[in-house]
Amino acid sequence: MNMKRRRRNSGTDRGFTMLEVLISLLIISIGMLGLASLQALSLKNGQSAYYRSVATQLAYDLSDRMRGNITGVLGNGYNRTGINTDYATAVAACGTTAGCVAASLAQNDAYEWQQLVAALLPGGEGIVCMDSQPNDGTSGLNHGCDGTIPANPNERPLHAVKIWWLDDRSAANTTNAKTLFVYAFRL
């Protein structure tokens, strides 16, 4: 009699074991999908952080160029708001050590910098201008620069380096909204 009882329990245990295995597989599958989603989100955020660091380096690059050409800054050579015209041409004389005046150097710096922004950031646009409220603007054409010069002649104007790029290139970004990075400083 004991033998029969063992056989019955043994058959019943096998059915429960199969059900437990199926439930375990379902739970593991859901966990793996969650991990894949987490990995995709991590890659997206890593790329976004990379673009932000590139924008930071580009802003520092232009501000260093401005510090190296104070005469050009004081002559308002770096207040460039016409993105289609002010950044359009290089100055050939600035490729050598002689023949480049401060205003030409400012124009050449703007051209070279704009080329870097366009090459290193997807849909990259950049502008440098005087702006009392620098955290505005949606693109290079709609930059929001107000060109404010302080009333006090002893106060230096606030220069803003604004950089936009397409950070979200998914199908959900139907308006092609760009990410803005601003670096504002006084020289």
Side-chain angles (χ1 to χ4, degrees):
M1 205 158 182
N2 267 346
M3 289 297 238
K4 286 186 179 181
R5 192 175 254 172
R6 280 188 184 168
R7 285 185 183 164
R8 274 191 201 160
N9 287 342
S10 169
T12 306
D13 286 347
R14 271 189 246 151
F16 280 116
T17 303
M18 181 61 84
L19 184 61
E20 289 169 353
V21 167
L22 289 175
I23 291 171
S24 297
L25 282 174
L26 178 67
I27 291 171
I28 289 172
S29 299
I30 291 171
M32 294 301 271
L33 285 173
L35 283 174
S37 173
L38 185 64
Q39 180 68 22
L41 185 63
S42 173
L43 287 172
K44 178 183 175 279
N45 288 337
Q47 189 69 27
S48 181
Y50 169 74
Y51 289 144
R52 184 163 297 280
S53 69
V54 168
T56 302
Q57 290 301 316
L58 287 167
Y60 288 160
D61 174 50
L62 187 59
S63 66
D64 286 343
R65 291 174 188 237
M66 291 172 71
R67 285 182 187 93
N69 186 11
I70 293 295
T71 306
V73 172
L74 295 175
N76 209 18
Y78 286 94
N79 187 28
R80 305 202 165 262
T81 57
I83 195 158
N84 291 332
T85 56
D86 288 354
Y87 299 90
T89 57
V91 179
C94 290
T96 62
T97 56
C100 188
V101 297
S104 297
L105 182 58
Q107 179 182 346
N108 196 62
D109 284 346
Y111 170 79
E112 290 178 352
W113 179 76
Q114 186 63 256
Q115 297 301 308
L116 285 171
V117 170
L120 297 176
L121 294 170
E125 297 177 296
I127 198 162
V128 59
C129 59
M130 290 185 290
D131 196 356
S132 61
Q133 301 291 323
N135 293 317
D136 58 357
T138 56
S139 70
L141 294 175
N142 184 18
H143 47 70
C145 295
D146 57 24
T148 300
I149 297 173
N152 182 354
N154 294 328
E155 184 181 350
R156 300 278 179 137
L158 183 66
H159 284 86
V161 176
K162 299 180 180 186
I163 301 172
W164 295 269
W165 71 93
L166 279 171
D167 198 16
D168 182 7
R169 292 172 283 160
S170 68
N173 186 10
T174 57
T175 62
N176 285 333
K178 293 186 173 188
T179 300
L180 169 64
F181 176 81
V182 176
Y183 177 60
F185 58 98
R186 295 182 198 275
L187 290 178

